[in-house]
Amino acid sequence: MKKKFALHWQILIAIILAVIYGISFPNQYKVDLDAYKKIISNEENVRFSNIQILTIENLIGEEAVSEDEIIRLITAKSDLKLSLEQKNIILKYTLYNPEIKYISWMGTVFLKALKMIIIPLILMSIISGIANIGSAGNLGRLGLKTILYYLMTSTAAILTGLFFVNIIKPGKGIDKSFIDVSDIPSVSQHSFSDTLLNIIPENIFVAFTQNQMLSIIFFAILFGFFITKISSKSRIVLTDLFNAGFEVMMKITTFIIKLTPFGVFGLVAKTVADQSDRLINLMHVLGIYSLTVLAALAFHAFVVLPLFLKFIAKVKPFAHLKAMQAALLTAFSTSSSGATLSLTMESVENNSGVSNKVSGFTLPLGATVNMDGTALYEAVAALFIAQAYGYDLTVTEQIVIVITALLASVGAAAVPMAGLIMISIILTAVDLPLAGIALILPVDRILDMFRTSVNVWSDSCGAVIIAKSEGEKLKV
Ligand code: ASP
């Protein structure tokens, strides 16, 4: 049979082309009549003053300009500062980038398809996985190993991050003048006990519609577990039913995966076009910070986790890395471990040879709670902000950071930029100014791509290590 052009190469080429495309067509902004009408009668009910409206009206018909330029034109003429909401409304409705529009729909379709299958996939995989595990003893053992692995690797990741940020000190002497405090995203905080209580859903359908993953996982674990407790006739029917359902979901997954290169092209090109303006401006300011994050992530991904693979699971780390390429590149492009989950499962099972019993349990849980990249990022970001503000954190405070970073990574949703929001928890815990978030905001979206890949990589390593400890014979 003729060997097909491997998927990970297709994805890689799509990413490269997308970057070129995105850089060639950076976002522009233009006021036309339609944009003007939408701005003044916006759905978000953000009000503009008469003079602002007049200035915007005067811009109708002008050429498309860059993001900075449109804001400058409006504020210079009307001599009024725009609030963050006003700014966002203007940018949203005046965005003019036809070239990106031609292709960004591919990314939207792909992301929607991935999101569509998350909940049924998690449900089927956990229920069938647990029903197949059988006894409570087996489940307890597997659960314990999984949690132990998450704790160990996430802590290792945080320590790696702290090590790098303490050595490189990217925040020392940074120019904070460009911080715009009004840019800080608003955060809603839950206490840790609330988070635990919220795992039990009041209404499972609400959990489904609101994507409350931990609640869905909790329900699925209960359901799967009690399948093993019913009469053998019903047990066999239900186990077969969910096994079959899982097979269907995997088939749908394989089908969607074929679209990955197109989806990735659309997504990455749009991200690059959205960010290019900001990136070039801020490269010199935030370059060292980004490099610190990247170096620490690389160390964790290419040194620490492979050591776990080699010495605990006794598998070939590189072979497993190769097996995971398509999933890792998709994690990179989507910045969402949740959206990547289906690919992660497919790669771990088909390429690395982990049984569905193990992957069906560890991966959905891992995608939601095990985020090494995010944990590392939280620690580096908090320390960076501390350095930028000239705070010297004591060892005790750094220990608080380790613990809160761990909790923040568990609590972060598996969606783009979730980690950024969680940093507020750490900053609050060690009394650092929340305004510091604005400092790292501009490069967060790009760094998110890398940390998400590390999150998925760690989940996959966990599945391999646990499968091996259960005596499975793997392909890596
Ligand atoms: N985007 C990350 C993920 O999905 C979470 C984060 O923002 O750190 O894994």
Side-chain angles (χ1 to χ4, degrees), residues 304-367:
V304 180
L305 289 175
L307 286 176
F308 273 89
L309 283 177
K310 196 160 173 58
F311 291 105
I312 301 183
K314 309 215 159 31
V315 300
K316 295 185 221 76
F318 191 67
H320 178 52
L321 184 67
K322 262 183 93 176
M324 293 303 300
Q325 281 175 94
L328 295 177
L329 290 171
T330 305
F332 182 80
S333 315
T334 58
S335 290
S336 167
S337 7
T340 314
L341 178 63
S342 37
L343 258 112
T344 319
M345 291 182 75
E346 205 256 0
S347 306
V348 166
E349 288 181 22
N350 293 349
N351 303 346
S352 298
V354 173
S355 73
N356 169 245
K357 194 178 100 180
V358 170
S359 82
F361 175 69
T362 58
L363 291 177
L365 201 60

Side-chain angles (χ1 to χ4, degrees), residues 23-78:
I23 291 179
S24 319
F25 302 110
N27 278 356
Q28 298 238 292
Y29 300 82
K30 182 174 171 178
V31 187
D32 52 24
L33 198 60
D34 198 36
Y36 169 74
K37 280 189 190 149
K38 281 182 180 155
I39 292 173
I40 53 172
S41 61
N42 63 80
E43 291 158 9
E44 293 85 346
N45 275 326
V46 173
R47 296 201 159 280
F48 289 88
S49 68
N50 287 344
I51 177 133
Q52 284 170 332
I53 292 179
L54 206 65
T55 317
I56 298 170
E57 194 186 316
N58 280 335
L59 291 174
I60 295 177
E62 300 261 335
E63 286 288 290
V65 292
S66 71
E67 175 177 332
D68 286 348
E69 187 66 11
I70 186 118
I71 298 297
R72 204 185 56 76
L73 283 175
I74 294 170
T75 46
K77 284 197 196 151
S78 61

Side-chain angles (χ1 to χ4, degrees), residues 44 68 109 155 174 183 228 256 317 328 352 387 393 402 406 426:
E44 293 85 346
D68 286 348
V109 168
T155 312
I174 202 138
D183 278 353
T228 66
I256 294 176
L328 295 177
S352 298
Q387 289 168 355
L393 293 179
V402 173
L406 197 63
I426 305 174

